[in-house]
Amino acid sequence: MNGFLVLLPTTLPQEKWTPILGGKGRGLQELASIGAPVPSTVVLKADAYRAHIALPIISATMPKKYPLPEPLTSEQAARIRAAIDSAPLPEEVESAIADVATLLPAQCYAVRSSSVDEDSPFASHAGQHDSFLKVAPTGLSEAVRHVYASLWSDRALAYRSAVSRGSREPAMAVVIQPMVAADAAGVLFTRDPINGDSQMLIEAVQGLGDALVSGRVTPARYAVDSADYRLLGTAVPVGGTAPLNEDDVSRLAWLGADMENRLGRPLDIEWALAGGEFFILQARPITATPAALPADRQIWTRINAAEVMPDVVTPATWSLVDRVVREMFTHFLRDLGFELGDNPVAGRQYGRVYLNLNTFTACAKRIPGLGEDGLADMFGGDPAAAKALARIHVPDGDLPELEGGKLGFYLRMPGSLLKFLFFGEKKGRAILARLKEKMDAEVSEPIDGLTTRELALKIADLGVNLRMDKETLDLLGLGRATDGMFYGACKRWFGAEGHSIASSLLAGLGGNDNARAGVELYRLAKMTVGDTDLRRAVLAARSFAEFAREWANLDSGKAFVRAFDIFLMKYGHHCRGELELMNPRWSETPDYVLSMIQSYVQGLPENDFIARYSKAGERRLVRERSAKAKLRNPFKRLVFVFLLRKAQKLAPMRESAKSELVRLAARLREIMIALGDRLVAEGKLSARDDVFFLTLEEGCQAAWGEMSVPAAQKLISGRRAEYEGFLEVSPPDFIVCGRVPGGEPTETGTGDGLLRGVAINPGVVTGVARVIMRESSERLRSGEILVMPFADPGWTPYFLNASAIVMEQGGILSHGSVVAREFGIPAVANVPGATTIIRSGQFLRVDGSAGTVEILPKGWYGG
């Protein structure tokens, strides 16, 4: 056999396993040596990698000494990857790879990374390096080069820096196996990876397991008693089938327990089921233990973050959001006497924004009166959030240190309390006026005549050097805190109907810029009432440009076009996912805005939203008197009125302040688009939107000539591919120690046939469902029930025709909830799987007081 190949099991001494076979190879060698059902396996030794990188064309790009004097830059790493991937493998390595087909004949293979640092008891390196499935024999050499190159990816470098500080030279072995034609595949945890208890957890999908590991599908989950391998519970995704039967589960659990007993440690096992037989593809130590390094024990959640930024974020957007979130959190903590330090607040997982549960738990446990039981209050205070968070426990040993303590809290508390008590409407309006004046001045400055360098300086000023003033942060933070306190008081004093009462008392307030945008859009539709020709022309228009050409010289058409232009000037900064800088704004998509108007015109004059909205204030006053009458305790009534008035004044201003910050994002986008066009003209970028796949700092460097064109294009190409890949992933709510936790998913269905969520705004509505996944030209007909994944201000136009709203995400303080309350629309949020379970055309009964959604049976016609 070629000296670079090892056929498992091998007779190599145990101390040689890791240096020669790498982590995966060592793990498979251990499994094969105890008789576990491992597929036939060969390992291309780490020495083959060393022979490859010794080639002059590659060695010239490599670090010269270890420990690294300083971390490698992305540009340096990109040069290393390009050299490794493009250089032909040495002749003796190619010969070894050619022998694979002789040793293990197969039509296709799995080619897996096996770093010599991988899967120690202290660090898993899971997902840091690339592996490839269904590789033809002729493609093995190329796959091996790709695996070698992944050792120098940005994510692998960052992980090594955290674990070993770049103290030793890395190396890579490669595991090669014939593909197992899996009927089902997945992972088995022989101990609960979250709590470390003795319950086993199995996750399974149909077919190959790569879809599970990458997060593209939601697995079926099985809880198993580790004492007798008895199935304790099964959770199957909505609309899915169970990949394993009860006998399969018991056999797999017994196999996992036997492997754990023989190897003497809890295991995270990847398995496949083919032809009724189980195969073990990999087994590594469960790293979520007290011995694990802190970097491996981070827990991330999308709760709350998914409401604000549900989609994959571009590098440009992330470089802005990361800075802003950290700045806001630092400000709020300082008011409580704590310093955040270097502890993480937000991060990216599956390309989306996640929040760090370790840091949030540390804050909750150090704030007197809050504690871990009050953690949900930091995530919006929703019952659904509280239930989800209760599943995850962060051990005290995994909590980061925060500067400050109870003494600092008590010293700061009087000042913070006074700020809360005396922060009223007058101060809020002054802050909002200053913020609006600042943004008016910014957007009024022309950019047409700016040079490339000046455009980059503008981006640096707005994005890279962004610092929000403390008063704006106070308006945002105290407004949300007031809402939370008001809802909490109503829940304590009014019981089960507390949330519904609180919501009804915040309806029809006016003064909310985001809601005002919807009202103004509807007024455009009302201009057609009584003007038959204008109505016909608006409904027939295929584009706004076409309408403007044909009607701009006629009186009624001229007024409509002028009002349309004014609307875009005032509210054109909105769009779906409006914090994402790459997303086009309403001002850039007038045809979309026109399509919304057309949907309103079709319902007029019978369904007049503005007439309904005008009555929301009257209903609010009636409900307010009723609520106060229920509070016979004068002290409670006094506190209730204080919190109510404060919430009614601050809530609209908080939303308006957020709208001004969205104007900043829209302005930043405008400048970046101009810079992108300029860099395309200068030959530095291939397309204008390439600029969004560089961070704001990198975009400036590219404009100033501080980043070479090949380096920029290499970064953009890799990040765009990663971005597009993440678009297909269904992200989990939690990621624990780099893995998606097992256990039961959030409950959606109930025994009474209802879908349950968070009650947002009271009222019971029966009607036809319209499921809309993305802001588009799709219309919501008047009176339909809007079923949607989430809501930000870009969705507001859809609300105006809706008789009720159902959202998959969101809570009582999310944007969609605020607008639904303002408009007085019955709504239920946080209904997992709503857009999958419900189909357009089905009849629904939505109860915004109980937080339930009922799908009525086919053939239902009323009542």
Side-chain angles (χ1 to χ4, degrees):
M1 185 187 302
N2 186 290
F4 282 125
L5 278 186
V6 175
L7 179 65
L8 301 186
T10 177
T11 57
L12 284 169
Q14 188 168 349
E15 65 270 15
K16 299 276 190 178
W17 289 356
T18 300
I20 291 176
L21 307 177
K24 282 193 187 73
R26 182 208 65 235
L28 290 168
Q29 165 65 13
E30 283 188 316
L31 297 174
S33 65
I34 63 171
V38 176
S40 300
T41 302
V42 294
V43 180
L44 189 62
K45 294 180 182 180
D47 283 343
Y49 165 83
R50 296 185 180 99
H52 185 52
I53 65 168
L55 296 172
I57 193 173
I58 301 176
S59 63
T61 67
M62 302 292 285
K64 304 306 178 191
K65 63 178 182 178
Y66 291 87
L68 293 175
E70 58 184 26
L72 295 180
T73 66
S74 293
E75 187 174 351
Q76 289 172 316
R79 284 199 298 268
I80 294 172
R81 291 196 302 274
I84 289 175
D85 220 354
S86 59
L89 293 168
E91 184 178 340
E92 59 271 29
V93 177
E94 286 283 10
S95 175
I97 293 173
D99 287 344
V100 171
T102 303
L103 291 168
L104 304 177
Q107 291 184 333
C108 58
Y109 297 87
V111 180
R112 304 179 189 277
S113 59
S114 185
S115 164
V116 297
D117 288 330
E118 237 173 76
D119 298 346
S120 73
F122 308 105
S124 74
H125 286 70
Q128 304 305 316
H129 307 123
D130 293 340
S131 294
F132 300 90
L133 304 180
K134 299 181 180 178
V135 178
T138 55
L140 286 174
S141 294
E142 182 181 13
V144 167
R145 292 198 310 272
H146 291 340
V147 170
Y148 287 166
S150 73
L151 189 61
W152 298 93
S153 68
D154 288 340
R155 66 177 183 269
L157 285 170
Y159 193 94
R160 284 205 299 276
S161 177
V163 173
S164 65
R165 309 298 182 201
S167 61
R168 56 185 177 269
E169 184 174 8
M172 176 73 77
V174 181
V175 170
I176 304 175
Q177 300 168 317
M179 282 293 301
V180 175
D183 302 311
V187 294
L188 161 64
F189 298 97
T190 61
R191 292 288 185 273
D192 189 313
I194 303 172
N195 301 316
D197 62 29
S198 59
Q199 179 176 283
M200 288 183 168
L201 295 172
I202 296 172
E203 295 184 344
V205 296
Q206 300 282 1
L208 297 177
D210 61 320
L212 185 157
V213 175
S214 67
R216 294 197 303 272
V217 298
T218 301
R221 295 184 175 119
Y222 307 86
V224 183
D225 190 318
S226 59
D228 57 10
Y229 319 124
R230 177 172 48 90
L231 181 63
L232 300 175
T234 304
V236 178
V238 175
T241 57
L244 302 178
N245 59 38
E246 192 166 347
D247 178 62
D248 292 332
V249 170
S250 295
R251 286 195 296 129
L252 179 58
W254 179 89
L255 183 60
D258 182 61
M259 291 164 57
E260 178 185 270
N261 290 335
R262 289 172 178 267
L263 296 178
R265 58 180 179 269
L267 296 172
D268 167 1
I269 299 166
E270 291 185 22
W271 55 268
L273 177 64
E277 297 296 324
F278 281 104
F279 293 89
I280 303 303
L281 307 179
Q282 183 178 334
R284 53 177 166 256
I286 294 177
T287 54
T289 65
L293 292 173
D296 294 316
R297 299 202 304 265
Q298 300 303 308
I299 300 178
W300 301 91
T301 179
R302 292 189 80 217
I303 291 178
N304 197 263
E307 302 166 16
V308 182
M309 299 199 72
D311 299 322
V312 180
V313 294
T314 58
T317 300
W318 172 243
S319 65
L320 176 67
V321 169
D322 184 34
R323 187 179 298 110
V324 171
V325 170
R326 189 168 194 83
E327 184 176 329
M328 293 176 66
F329 202 66
T330 297
H331 174 76
F332 299 146
L333 274 183
R334 279 180 182 160
D335 268 2
L336 298 174
F338 298 98
E339 288 293 333
L340 179 62
D342 294 329
N343 297 305
V345 178
R348 281 184 298 174
Q349 305 284 340
Y350 298 97
R352 276 85 169 178
V353 176
Y354 278 68
L355 298 176
N356 187 275
L357 196 60
N358 302 59
T359 298
F360 276 82
T361 303
C363 295
K365 295 187 78 168
R366 284 164 172 77
I367 297 175
L370 191 62
E372 193 168 9
D373 291 341
L375 180 62
D377 293 335
M378 301 183 72
F379 287 87
D382 302 323
K387 185 174 182 180
L389 289 166
R391 292 176 51 219
I392 307 293
H393 171 68
V394 185
D396 287 346
D398 293 348
L399 297 179
E401 291 296 326
L402 298 175
E403 295 180 28
K406 290 186 178 180
L407 178 60
F409 174 83
Y410 288 124
L411 290 174
R412 289 288 188 98
M413 199 60 228
S416 297
L417 183 58
L418 288 173
K419 181 192 287 189
F420 173 77
L421 291 173
F422 292 102
F423 193 101
E425 179 182 11
K426 183 178 180 180
K427 186 166 186 177
R429 291 199 180 283
I431 294 170
L432 188 57
R434 285 196 297 273
L435 182 60
K436 189 176 187 306
E437 182 180 359
K438 181 180 178 181
M439 283 310 307
D440 286 342
E442 172 56 45
V443 300
S444 65
E445 285 188 22
I447 62 172
D448 293 343
L450 297 182
T451 66
T452 302
R453 184 173 184 82
E454 288 169 339
L455 287 171
L457 285 170
K458 265 286 196 189
I459 291 172
D461 182 49
L462 284 179
V464 178
N465 301 323
L466 176 68
R467 292 290 182 272
M468 280 191 287
D469 63 85
K470 293 181 179 180
E471 288 191 329
T472 300
L473 291 172
D474 284 339
L475 176 57
L476 295 170
L478 291 175
R480 187 177 180 91
T482 301
D483 273 1
M485 293 175 69
F486 178 60
Y487 269 89
C490 288
K491 184 179 178 181
R492 283 192 299 273
W493 295 338
F494 300 121
E497 60 178 349
H499 276 184
S500 293
I501 290 174
S503 294
S504 67
L505 299 180
L506 297 178
L509 297 173
N512 177 335
D513 276 0
N514 294 325
R516 192 181 291 121
V519 174
E520 293 301 316
L521 190 60
Y522 207 91
R523 291 193 193 282
L524 283 168
K526 288 199 70 174
M527 292 178 70
T528 66
V529 175
D531 190 330
T532 304
D533 291 338
L534 180 62
R535 172 187 170 89
R536 186 182 302 115
V538 168
L539 289 176
R542 288 173 294 183
S543 71
F544 179 71
E546 173 190 284
F547 177 88
R549 281 195 304 270
E550 296 179 4
W551 282 79
N553 294 323
L554 301 176
D555 289 342
S556 58
K558 187 184 299 182
F560 183 88
V561 170
R562 187 185 307 114
F564 191 99
D565 288 339
I566 291 173
F567 173 84
L568 289 185
M569 186 171 60
K570 292 173 64 176
Y571 304 109
H573 54 283
H574 289 304
C575 70
R576 179 196 184 276
E578 56 193 14
L579 292 182
E580 171 53 61
L581 297 174
M582 193 167 71
N583 288 342
R585 310 287 140 169
W586 289 351
S587 58
E588 301 171 66
T589 55
D591 294 348
Y592 163 74
V593 177
L594 178 63
S595 73
M596 291 294 102
I597 296 171
Q598 290 170 330
S599 72
Y600 307 152
V601 171
Q602 289 175 328
L604 285 169
E606 292 81 8
N607 179 39
D608 190 335
F609 163 77
I610 292 178
R612 288 186 280 115
Y613 179 47
S614 64
K615 297 177 182 177
E618 299 173 12
R619 292 194 296 270
R620 184 187 72 248
L621 293 175
V622 172
R623 289 165 177 162
E624 184 178 323
R625 287 193 292 269
S626 173
K628 285 192 286 189
K630 292 179 180 180
L631 292 174
R632 301 188 180 278
N633 183 312
F635 175 75
K636 288 183 180 179
R637 191 182 303 121
L638 181 67
V639 174
F640 171 79
V641 171
F642 171 78
L643 291 175
L644 171 62
R645 296 288 177 258
K646 203 169 189 65
Q648 288 176 337
K649 298 299 182 185
L650 292 186
M653 287 189 285
R654 185 190 73 239
E655 291 297 307
S656 296
K658 286 158 64 177
S659 178
E660 292 302 318
L661 296 177
V662 170
R663 285 180 76 194
L664 172 67
R667 174 63 166 177
L668 192 53
R669 171 182 164 79
E670 178 188 8
I671 300 168
M672 292 182 71
I673 286 290
L675 179 63
D677 286 336
R678 193 72 57 82
L679 294 179
V680 169
E682 295 174 3
K684 295 178 178 178
L685 296 182
S686 300
R688 61 152 47 168
D689 68 349
D690 280 353
V691 74
F692 298 109
F693 292 93
L694 297 172
T695 66
L696 297 180
E697 294 89 340
E698 290 167 347
C700 293
Q701 291 168 7
W704 295 333
E706 296 175 0
M707 177 183 290
S708 69
V709 173
Q713 291 179 343
K714 182 75 173 179
L715 281 177
I716 291 164
S717 175
R719 290 171 178 176
R720 189 184 284 275
E722 183 179 61
Y723 174 90
E724 291 171 354
F726 280 137
L727 292 175
E728 304 303 318
V729 173
S730 176
D733 287 336
F734 291 95
I735 296 174
V736 179
C737 308
R739 301 301 300 266
V740 180
E744 295 186 4
T746 306
E747 292 181 11
T748 302
T750 63
D752 50 15
L754 299 178
L755 304 180
R756 296 194 183 276
V758 176
I760 296 300
N761 204 51
V764 179
V765 171
T766 300
V768 177
R770 175 72 59 182
V771 180
I772 299 180
M773 296 300 295
R774 299 188 66 84
E775 179 189 59
S776 65
S777 58
E778 185 174 359
R779 298 179 183 178
L780 181 77
R781 297 185 180 91
S782 178
E784 290 183 324
I785 294 173
L786 174 59
V787 183
M788 59 202 302
F790 73 100
D792 63 10
W795 285 92
T796 300
Y798 285 102
F799 283 39
L800 309 188
N801 270 346
S803 59
I805 296 169
V806 178
M807 295 176 279
E808 272 190 335
Q809 299 171 8
I812 55 176
L813 301 181
S814 62
H815 171 80
S817 304
V818 171
V819 175
R821 284 195 296 269
E822 173 65 18
F823 290 161
I825 304 171
V828 180
N830 214 300
V831 183
T835 60
T836 303
I837 300 167
I838 300 169
R839 296 185 298 277
S840 292
Q842 290 181 317
F843 278 93
L844 306 180
R845 180 178 287 116
V846 177
D847 188 334
S849 301
T852 59
V853 180
E854 181 181 6
I855 302 175
L856 299 173
K858 189 175 182 179
W860 184 92
Y861 294 106

